Amino acid sequence: MKKINMNRKIINSENYWDNRFAKDWEINEGSQQTSFFCDIFLSNIPQFLKKEFEKGGTFIDVGCAFGECCDMVKKRYSQLEVFGCDISSVAIEKAKNKFKNIKFFKKGIDDLEEKFDFVFCSNVLEHFSDYETKIKSLLRITKKHLIILVPFEEKGLIKEHKVSFDLRKFYLAVDSFYISFFKIFDLSLLKKTYWNQKQILIIYSNLSALYKINLLSYNYIKNHLNVFKNIKSVSYTHLTLPTIYSV
């Protein structure tokens, strides 16, 4: 009797993703999806982050799959030293073969130790029921800015998704990091799309980084988010009632 590897059946396990990347990732246009979401990110980052990228620093794409976004970021911001990591060894080997000028390595979110100036995580966190723990793990390795892109108010979760993000899922402040920017997109409005619902782009910035670029002020954050009265008392305040934008 043929032995069945049950780990392959456990959704979002390492073996599950090795199997997905080896068998049907490209058939289902996974690389095109990665590039699509990366373009949404690069086309909508705020001016202050563009300036930070132009100064250089270290950038990592956590959950990079075959590395297309790493390549796109490197081409647009050559000053950055770009890294990519993924839990799947199959994905990392593919990325290494495709993009020789970028450093790729195999690690999961909770296993990362080295710190990076800019941490990017696109369409990954929705795969985890313990997404709050994952966000904290990402912030732990972030020196300046953590950039998150996830489905927003997803209706009818696909089998790989464990959580539907809405505004109550995000904290305004986590330790020394504050939300410095967010934007919500209705991607169903695009003529060519790989996601027929909404996504949210949200940036957590370290207080010291905000001070250096003169972005941190009581009035700025109060007016930008319109959600709280006294910034000094905030540690875990939920983000609510933002303006919804469409691309």
Side-chain angles (χ1 to χ4, degrees):
M1 181 180 293
K2 184 178 179 181
K3 185 177 181 180
I4 298 175
N5 185 346
M6 294 304 295
N7 284 332
R8 289 186 177 181
K9 295 180 177 292
I10 300 176
I11 293 178
N12 296 325
S13 67
E14 180 177 338
N15 286 335
Y16 175 86
W17 282 108
D18 278 344
N19 194 49
R20 283 274 280 109
F21 284 125
K23 292 187 175 181
D24 64 2
W25 184 252
E26 292 184 300
I27 294 174
N28 291 317
E29 299 185 309
S31 292
Q32 290 90 330
Q33 291 177 42
T34 300
S35 298
F36 170 78
F37 289 124
C38 191
D39 184 63
I40 295 296
F41 153 57
L42 289 173
S43 299
N44 290 280
I45 56 176
Q47 192 63 34
F48 76 83
L49 191 58
K50 290 180 182 179
K51 292 180 179 179
E52 289 280 277
F53 282 177
E54 289 167 357
K55 294 176 184 177
T58 53
F59 175 101
I60 186 169
D61 181 0
V62 179
C64 65
F66 290 174
E68 289 83 9
C69 191
C70 293
D71 181 59
M72 292 170 68
V73 170
K74 184 64 177 176
K75 285 179 177 177
R76 186 167 299 193
Y77 297 100
S78 60
Q79 306 93 326
L80 292 173
E81 184 178 8
V82 178
F83 299 80
C85 73
D86 200 283
I87 194 175
S88 168
S89 57
V90 173
I92 290 301
E93 286 306 309
K94 184 77 171 182
K96 287 180 177 178
N97 290 331
K98 289 182 71 174
F99 307 110
K100 305 288 188 181
N101 63 327
I102 296 169
K103 301 173 183 177
F104 294 100
F105 58 92
K106 177 185 175 299
K107 271 194 178 179
I109 292 176
D110 296 326
D111 301 321
L112 291 167
E113 297 176 354
E114 182 180 352
K115 289 182 178 290
F116 299 85
D117 294 309
F118 311 103
V119 177
F120 177 61
C121 191
S122 171
N123 285 266
V124 171
L125 294 174
E126 66 273 15
H127 295 275
F128 300 99
S129 56
D130 62 338
Y131 66 92
E132 289 181 329
T133 299
K134 302 304 179 188
I135 290 176
K136 289 180 180 179
S137 292
L138 291 170
L139 289 171
R140 177 173 49 79
I141 64 161
T142 302
K143 292 182 181 179
K144 294 182 178 180
H145 308 281
L146 168 62
I147 307 116
I148 295 171
L149 184 65
V150 289
F152 184 74
E153 295 180 340
E154 182 179 354
K155 295 178 176 63
L157 289 179
I158 65 174
K159 70 175 184 178
E160 292 173 350
H161 293 182
K162 301 298 184 182
V163 60
S164 175
F165 284 94
D166 57 34
L167 296 174
R168 293 169 294 179
K169 296 293 195 301
F170 296 101
Y171 290 114
L172 176 60
V174 182
D175 299 326
S176 62
F177 287 85
Y178 285 77
I179 290 177
S180 58
F181 177 86
F182 70 96
K183 190 171 182 179
I184 298 167
F185 313 93
D186 186 351
L187 299 182
S188 68
L189 300 177
L190 297 177
K191 291 182 179 179
K192 174 67 174 177
T193 186
Y194 284 93
W195 185 254
N196 282 309
Q197 298 190 50
K198 297 174 185 176
Q199 293 253 327
I200 183 169
L201 176 67
I202 191 161
I203 300 175
Y204 282 94
S205 297
N206 190 293
L207 284 175
S208 61
L210 292 176
Y211 276 122
K212 287 180 180 178
I213 57 178
N214 296 319
L215 194 62
L216 182 66
S217 70
Y218 170 80
N219 287 331
Y220 170 80
I221 297 181
K222 178 185 174 183
N223 293 334
H224 181 60
L225 299 177
N226 191 29
V227 295
F228 65 100
K229 296 181 179 179
N230 185 358
I231 187 172
K232 293 181 180 179
S233 67
V234 173
S235 58
Y236 287 98
T237 300
H238 279 105
L239 168 65
T240 56
L241 305 177
T243 303
I244 295 182
Y245 298 86
S246 297
V247 291

mmCIF file of all heavy atoms in Angstrom, residues 2 18 23-24 38 53 93 126 150 154 184 199:
data_model
loop_
_atom_site.group_PDB
_atom_site.id
_atom_site.type_symbol
_atom_site.label_atom_id
_atom_site.label_comp_id
_atom_site.label_asym_id
_atom_site.label_seq_id
_atom_site.Cartn_x
_atom_site.Cartn_y
_atom_site.Cartn_z
ATOM 1 N N LYS A 2 0.515 2.223 -0.822
ATOM 2 C CA LYS A 2 1.297 3.454 -0.909
ATOM 3 C C LYS A 2 1.102 4.292 0.348
ATOM 4 O O LYS A 2 -0.019 4.517 0.796
ATOM 5 C CB LYS A 2 0.862 4.254 -2.138
ATOM 6 C CG LYS A 2 1.699 5.501 -2.365
ATOM 7 C CD LYS A 2 1.248 6.210 -3.633
ATOM 8 C CE LYS A 2 2.072 7.472 -3.864
ATOM 9 N NZ LYS A 2 1.642 8.188 -5.089
ATOM 10 N N ASP A 18 5.677 23.335 -0.326
ATOM 11 C CA ASP A 18 6.630 22.699 -1.246
ATOM 12 C C ASP A 18 5.878 22.015 -2.379
ATOM 13 O O ASP A 18 6.256 22.116 -3.560
ATOM 14 C CB ASP A 18 7.489 21.669 -0.502
ATOM 15 C CG ASP A 18 8.661 22.289 0.231
ATOM 16 O OD1 ASP A 18 9.006 23.457 -0.067
ATOM 17 O OD2 ASP A 18 9.230 21.615 1.105
ATOM 18 N N LYS A 23 4.137 21.834 -8.001
ATOM 19 C CA LYS A 23 3.154 21.242 -8.914
ATOM 20 C C LYS A 23 2.249 22.227 -9.637
ATOM 21 O O LYS A 23 2.029 22.103 -10.848
ATOM 22 C CB LYS A 23 2.299 20.220 -8.156
ATOM 23 C CG LYS A 23 3.078 18.982 -7.732
ATOM 24 C CD LYS A 23 2.156 17.934 -7.132
ATOM 25 C CE LYS A 23 2.916 16.648 -6.828
ATOM 26 N NZ LYS A 23 2.036 15.600 -6.257
ATOM 27 N N ASP A 24 1.654 23.181 -8.920
ATOM 28 C CA ASP A 24 0.625 23.967 -9.608
ATOM 29 C C ASP A 24 0.739 25.481 -9.430
ATOM 30 O O ASP A 24 -0.158 26.223 -9.805
ATOM 31 C CB ASP A 24 -0.769 23.506 -9.175
ATOM 32 C CG ASP A 24 -1.063 23.749 -7.698
ATOM 33 O OD1 ASP A 24 -0.211 24.311 -6.995
ATOM 34 O OD2 ASP A 24 -2.162 23.353 -7.251
ATOM 35 N N CYS A 38 2.816 43.126 -6.138
ATOM 36 C CA CYS A 38 4.008 43.971 -5.961
ATOM 37 C C CYS A 38 3.843 45.306 -6.683
ATOM 38 O O CYS A 38 4.255 46.352 -6.175
ATOM 39 C CB CYS A 38 5.243 43.242 -6.475
ATOM 40 S SG CYS A 38 6.803 44.051 -6.035
ATOM 41 N N PHE A 53 13.582 54.700 0.557
ATOM 42 C CA PHE A 53 14.119 53.683 -0.348
ATOM 43 C C PHE A 53 15.289 54.236 -1.161
ATOM 44 O O PHE A 53 16.286 53.550 -1.393
ATOM 45 C CB PHE A 53 13.033 53.183 -1.300
ATOM 46 C CG PHE A 53 12.071 52.202 -0.694
ATOM 47 C CD1 PHE A 53 10.997 51.724 -1.436
ATOM 48 C CD2 PHE A 53 12.219 51.739 0.608
ATOM 49 C CE1 PHE A 53 10.111 50.807 -0.896
ATOM 50 C CE2 PHE A 53 11.338 50.831 1.170
ATOM 51 C CZ PHE A 53 10.272 50.361 0.405
ATOM 52 N N GLU A 93 14.729 27.721 -4.050
ATOM 53 C CA GLU A 93 15.611 27.242 -5.116
ATOM 54 C C GLU A 93 15.212 27.833 -6.467
ATOM 55 O O GLU A 93 16.059 28.196 -7.277
ATOM 56 C CB GLU A 93 15.591 25.712 -5.169
ATOM 57 C CG GLU A 93 16.355 25.047 -4.046
ATOM 58 C CD GLU A 93 17.792 25.551 -3.936
ATOM 59 O OE1 GLU A 93 18.505 25.554 -4.949
ATOM 60 O OE2 GLU A 93 18.181 25.970 -2.825
ATOM 61 N N GLU A 126 -2.786 36.417 5.935
ATOM 62 C CA GLU A 126 -4.133 35.851 5.933
ATOM 63 C C GLU A 126 -4.120 34.320 6.037
ATOM 64 O O GLU A 126 -5.148 33.695 6.272
ATOM 65 C CB GLU A 126 -4.896 36.278 4.674
ATOM 66 C CG GLU A 126 -4.353 35.725 3.373
ATOM 67 C CD GLU A 126 -3.251 36.573 2.759
ATOM 68 O OE1 GLU A 126 -2.702 37.439 3.475
ATOM 69 O OE2 GLU A 126 -2.956 36.370 1.579
ATOM 70 N N VAL A 150 -2.510 42.820 2.467
ATOM 71 C CA VAL A 150 -3.349 41.639 2.712
ATOM 72 C C VAL A 150 -4.743 41.866 2.132
ATOM 73 O O VAL A 150 -5.167 43.000 1.913
ATOM 74 C CB VAL A 150 -3.494 41.331 4.225
ATOM 75 C CG1 VAL A 150 -2.200 40.800 4.805
ATOM 76 C CG2 VAL A 150 -3.989 42.550 4.989
ATOM 77 N N GLU A 154 -12.366 40.142 3.191
ATOM 78 C CA GLU A 154 -12.540 39.042 2.241
ATOM 79 C C GLU A 154 -13.856 38.313 2.493
ATOM 80 O O GLU A 154 -14.154 37.907 3.605
ATOM 81 C CB GLU A 154 -11.365 38.065 2.358
ATOM 82 C CG GLU A 154 -11.440 36.911 1.377
ATOM 83 C CD GLU A 154 -10.263 35.961 1.491
ATOM 84 O OE1 GLU A 154 -9.326 36.260 2.259
ATOM 85 O OE2 GLU A 154 -10.286 34.914 0.824
ATOM 86 N N ILE A 184 -6.710 51.551 1.171
ATOM 87 C CA ILE A 184 -7.546 50.409 0.833
ATOM 88 C C ILE A 184 -7.902 50.479 -0.649
ATOM 89 O O ILE A 184 -8.274 51.539 -1.157
ATOM 90 C CB ILE A 184 -8.815 50.380 1.700
ATOM 91 C CG1 ILE A 184 -8.437 50.225 3.178
ATOM 92 C CG2 ILE A 184 -9.751 49.244 1.275
ATOM 93 C CD1 ILE A 184 -9.569 50.490 4.138
ATOM 94 N N GLN A 199 -8.019 44.978 -1.031
ATOM 95 C CA GLN A 199 -6.766 44.749 -0.315
ATOM 96 C C GLN A 199 -6.451 46.017 0.470
ATOM 97 O O GLN A 199 -6.904 47.114 0.115
ATOM 98 C CB GLN A 199 -5.617 44.454 -1.281
ATOM 99 C CG GLN A 199 -5.736 43.146 -2.038
ATOM 100 C CD GLN A 199 -4.760 42.087 -1.547
ATOM 101 O OE1 GLN A 199 -3.656 42.372 -1.122
ATOM 102 N NE2 GLN A 199 -5.178 40.823 -1.628
#
